[in-house]
Amino acid sequence: MLNFIIRRSLLALLTIWALSVMSFVIIQLPPGDYADQYVQELLQGGWASGGAGAIAEEMERNLRREYGLDQPLFVQYVKWAWRMVQGDFGQSLEFQKPVRDVVGERLLMTVILAGTTALFAWGLSIPIGIYSAVRHHRIEDYTVTFIGFVGLAVPDFLLALWLLWMSFKFFPGLGIGGLFSPEYIDAPWSVARVIDLMSHLWIAALVVGTAGTAALIRVMRANLLDELHKPYVVTARAKGVTEWKLLLKYPVRLALNPLVSTLGYLLPFLMSGSIIVSVVLDLPTEGPLLLRALLAEDLYISATIVLLLGTLTVIGTLMSDILLGLLDPRIRIS
């Protein structure tokens, strides 16, 4: 098992390095850069009148020189990667602050929301999927299947808009939107602030995790149905093993394998959240920050967040590989 983990970890490190190159290059593929965007906004706002062209060109050259945008792409990447290894992710062009500070402000809230959503999705999907498979072709199974299809069909942002309308229409004091009440947004951490966060957190977790929970229920149900008809289940049942002991000891354990493999994409999705949902609910997560950075062509914030999401994908895949190796010894040998 140790050799299996070491091999997977080395492969993960190599993949993260490749992701750093790809994320830095992909962010620079669109034409123009932050200097073009910044000067264009100034001109559109009536910043200069006569002789604006010469002033704009001079300002663009100065901005590119100041932020190193006039250097070749390879040189920019090497400098960024070297600083990143030292914990310096560069200077945000949009916020005029270190990228580490800008991303770090939202990272804690993103982790809390992602963890809550993951607990919500997995805590509901596994027992409901088991129950639906056991009650196959009965009214309970049809009910769960119908609710699951509704959860998959309704877009997250539409559910968020519906909840906002319901709160404004019928529950004006409920305060759906954001993760804090106005008086706690910039307040220091305290017991009252944590309680206020918990009162808002469940709504965001419900909206972001609905589609994921519905999908995991379908996966768990289908996997377990495949296992329940295999010969080892029939043999164990014929030997008199109680139904729930038989179910939890063998079929459920094997049915979890494909479910665990979803960690590879579930973790980064929960970290970024649905960007549209985050914008609608005004959630202080990394998703809206990435959208703003892309619109402003803020190279270092965009590349850092894209690399962070890619790294989370690799970490999620590594975690799923290790868990699958623990669940099924055959995977460790392959």
Side-chain angles (χ1 to χ4, degrees), residues 114-149:
T116 305
T117 306
L119 291 176
F120 168 76
W122 283 69
L124 284 182
S125 60
I126 293 177
I128 293 178
I130 294 173
Y131 182 75
S132 179
V134 172
R135 309 294 292 179
H136 188 46
H137 287 323
R138 300 184 185 180
I139 185 64
E140 298 93 335
D141 181 33
Y142 292 139
T143 303
V144 170
T145 301
F146 174 76
I147 295 175
F149 281 133

Side-chain angles (χ1 to χ4, degrees), residues 47-69:
W47 166 72
S49 53
I55 298 175
E57 290 179 3
E58 181 65 24
M59 177 171 287
E60 285 185 24
R61 286 194 295 269
N62 292 335
L63 285 173
R64 289 195 177 93
R65 190 181 308 111
E66 179 181 356
Y67 293 111
L69 300 176

Side-chain angles (χ1 to χ4, degrees), residues 218-235:
R218 302 298 302 163
V219 171
M220 186 65 195
R221 175 184 178 275
N223 294 339
L224 188 55
L225 284 176
D226 289 340
E227 295 296 327
L228 288 177
H229 298 290
K230 290 186 176 179
Y232 75 90
V233 176
V234 178
T235 303

Side-chain angles (χ1 to χ4, degrees), residues 1-10 318 322:
M1 186 65 187
L2 181 60
N3 292 333
F4 175 79
I5 295 176
I6 292 175
R7 291 199 311 269
R8 287 293 192 270
S9 299
L10 291 176
L318 178 62
I322 295 174

Side-chain angles (χ1 to χ4, degrees), residues 156-172:
D156 292 344
F157 72 90
L158 185 61
L159 178 60
L161 288 172
W162 180 77
L163 286 176
L164 285 175
W165 178 81
M166 290 289 291
S167 65
F168 293 149
K169 180 76 174 179
F170 302 104
F171 309 100

